[in-house]
Amino acid sequence: QVQLVESGGGLVQPGGSLRLSCAASGSIFSVYDMGWYRQAPGKQRELVARIDIGGSTNYADSVKGRFTISRDYPKNTVYLQMNSLKLEDTAVYYCKVDIMQRDRRQVLMWGQGTQVTVSS
């Protein structure tokens, strides 16, 4: 069994910063792609940023230059540093992780979601 635990959401003023974390634990053989998605009320879930096993990243155009995704390989953790937050960044943020378990089964897992609210 593998678990994902997200943390770091909250309420922040426009222009502020937040850092999200998502840690995978359990019966893990290897962790491949890790990513962050978000879903605002009434909108579809969208990719925010992703990082592959080699460290290559890609970002949604709306967050380029403001958000940074990174990962800690030994801790199987992905981070999203969010700077210069805007009102339109308000959403529930979900991590998504591609994992090969020790039994060699590959699974795609989603975190439980963490609320990010940008408001003055």
Side-chain angles (χ1 to χ4, degrees):
Q1 291 285 0
V2 178
Q3 299 83 37
L4 291 182
V5 177
E6 294 185 31
S7 61
L11 173 64
V12 64
Q13 292 186 339
S17 297
L18 283 174
R19 188 191 195 209
L20 306 183
S21 300
C22 173
S25 62
S27 183
I28 297 171
F29 176 76
S30 187
V31 177
Y32 301 115
D33 290 1
M34 307 182 87
W36 289 96
Y37 291 71
R38 68 186 179 187
Q39 188 166 17
K43 294 189 176 181
Q44 290 188 333
R45 191 172 297 189
E46 62 175 0
L47 173 69
V48 176
R50 61 179 289 275
I51 183 168
D52 67 17
I53 193 170
S56 296
T57 60
N58 62 281
Y59 296 90
D61 287 343
S62 58
V63 307
K64 282 179 182 177
R66 300 188 297 121
F67 290 11
T68 302
I69 190 169
S70 60
R71 61 191 289 174
D72 184 321
Y73 290 87
K75 293 182 179 179
N76 291 324
T77 299
V78 61
Y79 304 97
L80 186 68
Q81 178 67 44
M82 304 184 293
N83 298 328
S84 303
L85 282 159
K86 303 177 180 180
L87 297 175
E88 54 264 39
D89 294 318
T90 296
V92 178
Y93 284 71
Y94 299 89
C95 64
K96 180 183 174 184
V97 182
D98 184 0
I99 295 170
M100 179 167 284
Q101 301 178 153
R102 290 195 185 120
D103 63 6
R104 299 305 189 266
R105 286 193 305 150
Q106 193 160 350
V107 294
L108 278 173
M109 294 197 64
W110 289 91
Q112 79 275 17
T114 185
Q115 177 70 46
V116 171
T117 302
V118 184
S119 175
S120 54

